[in-house]
Amino acid sequence: MPAPCVVWFRNDLRLDDNPALTAAARSGAPLIALYVLDDESAGDWRMGSASRWWLHHSLESLARDLARLGATLILRRGRAEFVLENIVAQTGAGAVYWNRLYEPWAMRRDGEIKASLRARGLAVESFNGALLFEPAQMRNKQGEVFKVFSPFWRACLATGGPEAPLPAPESFVAAPAPESDALDDWRLLPSKPDWAGGLRETWRPGEARARARLAEFAKSGVADYKVARDFMAEESTSRLSPHLHFGEVSPRRVWAEIIAAAGEAGLPFLREIGWREFCHHLLVANHDMPDSALDARFNDFPWRHDEGALKAWQKGLTGYPVVDAAMRELWITGWMHNRARMVAASFLIKHLLLPWQEGERWFWDTLVDADLANNSGGWQWVAGCGADAAPYFRVFNPVLQGEKFDPDGDYVRRYVPELAKVGAKWIHRPWEAPADVLRSAGVTLGKTYPLPIVDHAKARARALAAFEEMRT
């Protein structure tokens, strides 16, 4: 019997369209399925609390799926290079397969692991299981990384689309399983206080739910996506982002099913998959993107330090209902509607003049779909300091954004119950409501719901002045 091969699972917690798993199954070698929790290598960007909750349940799901094919998912915690050395020594493995990660720390680590294992005589292969196209594949006419999204997206479409997704292996030979950690011993779930109730009500991690959600959206949601996606109270987005981040469904599978269901009508949604792709390509080319502005001028921006304002934003107590609803949705569900993300991020950066990195860190800990490329790319876009960024002088008016994209106030009422009885006319500007309206709604500003912590017009003027100061 040939020496066993190791399939090192990472952010590819699925059987379908998993190139590393497929290659291992086709090799005919007995298979060892391994997941390594490597917090040490990740450093400052180890998974946040909400992501760890998701990971626990996603690993449970993957273990069940592998068990149906006769394999055990081996769990080990520690530096990946040491874990792999130990697994190889224990099992006599002759090959290691994995799908690539694109975080800077992971790329450095994986390159070193690949060289070390190959020097010891093992066959080591890595694959693209996370993106539509490899970053090195997409270049502009000058052979450089795209810095603007629209031409990047046109170049993606000009390829005719990504490769077809691979079917899940129907069978493989499982090697005897080495010793494994117990998932519960990793303590990925909260203990006391148990803050994950809203996550449990909102999400079902795992490949089966990811595929079901994709099928539902392809059938009944994608046709209206272009118009409906901005309305925060509506269930009009795919909510695939955490499933994509953890690799419970591949972007190639998403592409294939959306095109099959909707044809060109699916392109507005696939454009959002393209933005995910763009952010990953930017991260590969700019390893300091999570910490430093791509536009170096912003290194001299006169940011403020205001712990009280930051806490008010984090807790959804800014006095601007749509911002507060967004931040409470995040805390309760581990997710936030994309329009709300833009409004909440703009408020932190431009109304409060707080560094975009503060928001990035908060999202990293609280989002179930926290993704280093998307998170840093999105925050830099709003701040005006990233690639193809919204100009800094574009300041979202949270009142107008609420009135336009939550016209009946249902989104605010869902997450800011203090304002549940305020009518649509005043719900996005309660400080302007007549006293009798507030009294009949049971609202006492400054007590049951805060007054605005900044004035929009003054905050906008302050932000524009700070931008001018940076430019001079």
Side-chain angles (χ1 to χ4, degrees):
M1 180 176 290
C5 65
V6 177
V7 178
W8 179 16
F9 285 89
R10 294 107 75 79
N11 282 2
D12 52 356
L13 305 181
R14 64 181 185 273
L15 306 187
D16 176 72
D17 194 29
N18 188 319
L21 179 63
T22 297
R26 288 175 177 172
S27 75
L31 185 147
I32 298 168
L34 172 70
Y35 183 88
V36 182
L37 182 62
D38 185 356
D39 285 330
E40 189 174 343
S41 295
D44 291 341
W45 296 108
R46 69 191 289 272
M47 273 182 282
S49 301
S51 293
R52 296 169 95 80
W53 176 89
W54 190 286
L55 175 65
H56 177 100
H57 295 291
S58 190
L59 289 173
E60 283 186 328
S61 175
L62 177 63
R64 289 192 297 268
D65 292 343
L66 286 168
R68 283 193 282 270
L69 293 177
T72 299
L73 179 62
I74 306 304
L75 304 176
R76 295 284 180 92
R77 188 172 195 165
R79 290 191 69 93
E81 56 267 37
F82 301 144
V83 171
L84 284 166
E85 286 177 8
N86 182 264
I87 289 286
V88 168
Q90 280 186 307
T91 65
V96 181
Y97 300 92
W98 67 70
N99 295 311
R100 299 182 194 104
L101 298 174
Y102 297 92
E103 293 85 355
W105 62 267
M107 293 178 69
R108 288 191 297 269
R109 178 200 64 184
D110 294 353
E112 293 170 358
I113 290 174
K114 183 178 287 188
S116 175
L117 292 175
R118 283 179 172 172
R120 296 171 56 186
L122 276 78
V124 184
E125 297 293 337
S126 62
F127 305 86
N128 173 19
L131 298 177
L132 298 173
F133 308 101
E134 273 293 311
Q137 181 182 349
M138 304 303 298
R139 291 290 185 268
N140 62 21
K141 293 179 180 179
Q142 290 73 43
E144 300 171 340
V145 175
F146 285 94
K147 296 181 176 64
V148 179
F149 174 70
S150 292
F152 170 82
W153 181 233
R154 287 195 295 269
C156 291
L157 295 177
T159 66
E163 295 179 1
L166 299 164
E170 295 181 0
S171 63
F172 47 74
V173 179
E179 183 181 357
S180 173
D181 294 349
L183 181 58
D184 286 343
D185 289 344
W186 285 1
R187 298 185 178 180
L188 300 174
L189 302 178
S191 51
K192 293 182 180 180
D194 179 5
W195 44 259
L199 275 63
R200 289 192 294 270
E201 292 177 7
T202 307
W203 302 103
R204 295 293 181 271
E207 181 176 4
R209 182 56 189 144
R211 293 293 300 277
R213 187 176 286 277
L214 172 60
E216 291 166 6
F217 182 70
K219 179 180 179 181
S220 59
V222 69
D224 299 326
Y225 177 79
K226 184 176 181 179
V227 173
R229 64 179 180 175
D230 279 320
F231 291 91
M232 292 176 277
E234 304 298 324
E235 296 287 341
S236 55
T237 61
S238 72
R239 294 183 178 241
L240 284 170
S241 52
H243 299 292
L244 276 164
H245 171 71
F246 284 95
E248 297 169 351
V249 65
S250 76
R252 294 189 303 199
R253 179 61 68 189
V254 172
W255 183 288
E257 293 206 12
I258 293 298
I259 290 296
E264 289 193 0
L267 289 179
F269 171 72
L270 291 178
R271 184 180 174 90
E272 300 304 314
I273 303 297
W275 175 257
R276 172 184 182 271
E277 191 89 358
F278 182 56
C279 289
H280 279 80
H281 288 217
L282 287 173
L283 181 61
V284 169
N286 303 275
H287 284 184
D288 60 350
M289 190 170 83
D291 301 298
S292 300
L294 295 182
D295 184 342
R297 294 177 302 168
F298 278 79
N299 294 331
D300 298 320
F301 192 88
W303 300 110
R304 299 171 62 244
H305 176 79
D306 187 333
E307 193 66 27
L310 177 61
K311 290 294 184 185
W313 178 82
Q314 291 172 339
K315 294 179 179 181
L317 294 172
T318 68
Y320 284 89
V322 74
V323 174
D324 294 341
M327 298 307 296
R328 297 187 199 184
E329 179 185 28
L330 172 61
W331 184 253
I332 293 168
T333 72
W335 186 85
M336 190 192 295
H337 188 283
N338 189 58
R339 170 60 59 173
R341 293 188 197 207
M342 291 190 287
V343 175
S346 177
F347 189 88
L348 178 81
I349 296 165
K350 298 172 184 179
H351 283 74
L352 302 181
L353 279 190
L354 297 178
W356 58 270
Q357 293 95 333
E358 293 280 11
E360 179 191 31
R361 289 285 180 180
W362 184 250
F363 275 24
W364 183 256
D365 191 49
T366 53
L367 281 171
V368 292
D369 64 2
D371 180 283
L372 195 60
N374 287 5
N375 198 31
S376 55
W379 276 96
Q380 291 215 33
W381 183 86
V382 176
C385 61
D388 197 17
Y392 184 84
F393 54 79
R394 181 185 182 189
V395 181
F396 282 112
N397 182 324
V399 174
L400 299 183
Q401 288 287 309
E403 291 175 342
K404 184 175 182 179
F405 298 114
D406 184 32
D408 297 322
D410 292 337
Y411 180 69
V412 167
R413 291 190 189 91
R414 184 181 306 162
Y415 294 109
V416 188
E418 309 96 296
L419 302 178
K421 295 182 180 180
V422 177
K425 181 177 180 179
W426 302 110
I427 195 165
H428 292 293
R429 51 178 86 218
W431 59 90
E432 295 181 4
D436 62 323
V437 169
L438 294 177
R439 187 165 49 250
S440 63
V443 176
T444 303
L445 294 177
K447 292 185 178 181
T448 62
Y449 183 72
L451 288 159
I453 61 174
V454 292
D455 175 82
H456 168 71
K458 293 178 180 178
R460 182 177 185 277
R462 181 177 65 178
L464 296 180
F467 181 62
E468 287 302 318
E469 179 182 339
M470 178 198 75
R471 296 175 64 192
T472 55

